[in-house]
DNA sequence: AACAATAGTTCGCTATGCGAACAAAAGAAG
DNA sequence: CTTCTTTTGTTCGCATAGCGAACTATTGTT
């Protein structure tokens, strides 16, 4: 747990937020000692910070176990609410999902991941495991790649310097050099296709939405079983509709998002 | 901004979180002075806390404007992720929405509001304005009422003592006494019906899900245009299916939620 | 029952964070 | 454009907030 060099930095706040994120790294209910170890802080300090979070209602305490409380949603969703984003996107995802009879999603870039913020599907057999709030490695999702392709050279370098590649399938790219090549291609195409890299049997195509207001890189995608559509078919049949949807979303966002 | 009386309370953390919630009370981009006023802290303190939030990536700074960044989703969604909740609920909402051709939603209680955590709709004309992350006053939603009806007397009293009623329509209940009567009825019925109280022309019916693990009160509902279904029809045609869905969700949650 | 591990409490200490005041920069008004 | 006002940034003395270490109490394990 490192001390900031910035004189105006409030160490206790940094530490408290770090303790809060320990739940992302550990399990849903943890003891003081477990959290202290994950946070790399002494038990005494960790305890005080946790008790403060309990007092403020973000964390609960049951016996010796600490857990996250619903009030935490206030923090997370205030970001989405500040974007005036989700209802517009959800509406258009519903439309395209119905037109295509495929799953449609939106996510934002929270490197090294993408976080799903909206989904629509008309399939009764829904692909389990992905819902709003789900996170996937940005480098191995179509949405992540189109978003990364839009970062400045500086930002992209910073991210690539801090990431450890963990290819999810044997088909997935394995080196940072491959990442750069792929992002170059995605950048020039204006869309990205993921071909069974995240999951064997699954293809997806992603385009970006929005204008990077408030550091927000967002994208939408369509995912399909590989048995149903080839890469070429994704490009020919799906991409035009997806791009049209993105344009409609951007048009509506344009009236609420400052440029 | 009050000082806690608890000796183990870390004031700077409390203050920092309070500053973060200022964005819920103000606009999406604010100056230092605006935030300081909303937070009831001096400019110097507010500035240090904000700069700490900026340093940690939760808040951004553009010129003199502070804004929330996507990293904040990490905090909010860690709560949902800790529940292993959303994919199960979303799947069942999709099913019942398709069976009924009505909008289905799930929310959790973050008093004085409910926060929508999942939605499904097969309608092309989606009711705009409600999406994941949306908040509505708990006292004026069917889901809010069924959740409140399950609180302990103590908890309910605490909430009712701290709330200011703001009836959204002329039909809506106006006094705490009316709230109590309604919740008593809801408690004995095991479901709640909202009849054009939140919005003229809209009815909804809600049942609870889950077992209050980690202080989480959750519910699902079906909302319909009042022109389509009467209150009686909600009870006769919709309620059995909604209750069945809740049972299925609970059954699946039972295997991931501790009792 | 004995031992080990964990959680809670206490306390001396200092450095962290504070508020107040001043300086600089930006914005508003004429 | 100038002048005045407001806001933001910086500095600094101070004291208390928060810390870590040590001890005590409780819980868990063998």
């Amino acid at each position: 747990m490192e001390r900031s060099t910035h004189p105006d930095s409030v160490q206790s706040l940094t530490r408290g937020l770090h303790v809060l994120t320990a739940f992302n790294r550990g399990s849903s209910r943890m003891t003081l000692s477990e959290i202290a170890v994950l946070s790399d802080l002494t038990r005494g300090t960790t305890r005080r910070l946790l008790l403060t979070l309990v007092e403020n209602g973000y964390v609960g305490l049951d016996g010796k176990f600490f857990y996250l409380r619903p009030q935490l949603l206030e923090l997370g969703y205030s970001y989405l609410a500040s974007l005036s984003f989700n209802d517009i996107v959800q509406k258009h995802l519903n439309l395209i999902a119905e037109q295509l009879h495929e799953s449609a999603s939106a996510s934002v870039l929270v490197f090294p991941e993408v976080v799903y913020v909206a989904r629509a599907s008309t399939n009764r057999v829904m692909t389990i495991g992905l819902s709003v709030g789900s996170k996937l490695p940005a480098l191995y999702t179509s949405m992540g790649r189109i978003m990364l392709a839009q970062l400045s050279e500086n930002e992209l370098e910073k991210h690539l310097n801090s990431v450890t590649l963990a290819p999810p399938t044997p088909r997935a790219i394995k080196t940072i050099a491959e990442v750069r090549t792929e992002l170059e291609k995605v950048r020039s195409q204006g869309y990205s296709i993921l071909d069974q890299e995240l999951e064997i049997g699954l293809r997806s195509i992603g385009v970006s939405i929005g204008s990077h207001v408030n550091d927000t890189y967002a994208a939408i995608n369509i995912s399909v079983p590989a048995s149903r559509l080839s890469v070429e078919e994704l490009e020919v049949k799906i991409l035009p509709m997806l791009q049209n949807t993105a344009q409609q979303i951007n048009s509506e966002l344009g009236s609420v998002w400052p440029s």
Side-chain angles (χ1 to χ4, degrees), chain A residues 7-251:
Chain A
D8 288 328
S9 185
V10 178
Q11 181 177 217
S12 297
L13 176 55
T14 293
R15 284 177 160 185
L17 292 167
H18 187 62
V19 163
L20 199 42
T21 62
F23 289 91
N24 288 335
R25 303 191 286 280
S27 55
S28 60
R29 292 163 76 86
M30 291 191 282
T31 64
L32 167 62
S33 296
E34 289 171 322
I35 297 166
V37 167
L38 285 175
S39 306
D40 197 25
L41 293 167
T42 64
R43 282 191 301 102
T45 293
T46 306
R47 184 167 179 275
R48 275 191 294 270
L49 296 170
L50 280 168
L51 290 181
T52 303
L53 292 168
V54 168
E55 188 179 30
N56 284 279
Y58 295 108
V59 168
L61 176 58
D62 176 22
K64 49 191 266 203
F65 292 103
F66 293 94
Y67 56 89
L68 300 180
R69 293 189 75 256
Q71 194 174 319
L72 215 43
L73 289 176
E74 279 189 341
L75 293 183
Y77 286 128
S78 56
Y79 161 72
L80 281 186
S82 76
L83 290 181
S84 307
F85 178 89
N86 247 31
D87 47 354
I88 293 170
V89 171
Q90 187 68 61
K91 178 181 73 174
H92 286 282
L93 288 192
N94 290 345
L95 288 176
I96 194 172
E98 182 154 350
Q99 286 167 3
L100 293 176
H101 293 286
E102 304 292 357
S103 296
S105 304
S107 67
V108 299
L109 180 63
V110 184
F111 199 82
E113 288 155 326
V114 297
V115 178
Y116 279 66
V117 294
R119 292 211 91 209
S121 173
T122 55
N123 292 343
R124 305 193 72 156
V125 183
M126 177 169 163
T127 49
I128 297 301
L130 282 186
S131 58
V132 167
S134 299
K135 299 185 289 188
L136 287 176
L139 290 176
Y140 295 108
T141 66
S142 57
M143 290 193 274
R145 287 189 184 168
I146 189 68
M147 291 191 270
L148 287 167
Q150 303 194 16
L151 296 181
S152 69
E153 199 61 42
N154 235 10
E155 280 176 294
L156 181 58
E157 280 311 299
K158 198 172 55 172
H159 287 322
L160 294 187
N161 282 339
S162 69
V163 80
T164 302
L165 292 191
T169 64
R171 299 175 56 109
I173 53 180
K174 297 177 179 51
T175 66
I176 296 287
E178 280 176 284
V179 171
R180 291 184 203 280
T181 301
E182 175 67 19
L183 292 185
E184 183 110 18
K185 175 178 157 197
V186 166
R187 194 177 293 119
S188 68
Q189 286 179 329
Y191 62 90
S192 95
I193 288 187
L194 197 76
D195 185 17
Q196 304 192 69
E197 282 189 66
L198 180 65
E199 185 180 330
I200 300 294
L202 191 72
R203 288 196 181 102
S204 68
I205 180 165
V207 296
S208 70
I209 58 174
S211 54
H212 317 149
V213 165
N214 293 2
D215 298 325
T216 295
Y217 290 79
I220 56 173
N221 85 344
I222 298 288
S223 28
V224 300
S227 56
R228 198 137 81 212
L229 292 179
S230 66
V231 170
E232 282 74 33
E233 281 167 323
L234 277 182
E235 283 169 328
V236 171
K237 294 187 181 175
I238 305 290
L239 179 60
M241 294 176 72
L242 193 62
Q243 283 171 331
N244 185 51
T245 293
Q247 276 181 5
Q248 288 174 356
I249 289 174
N250 288 342
S251 175

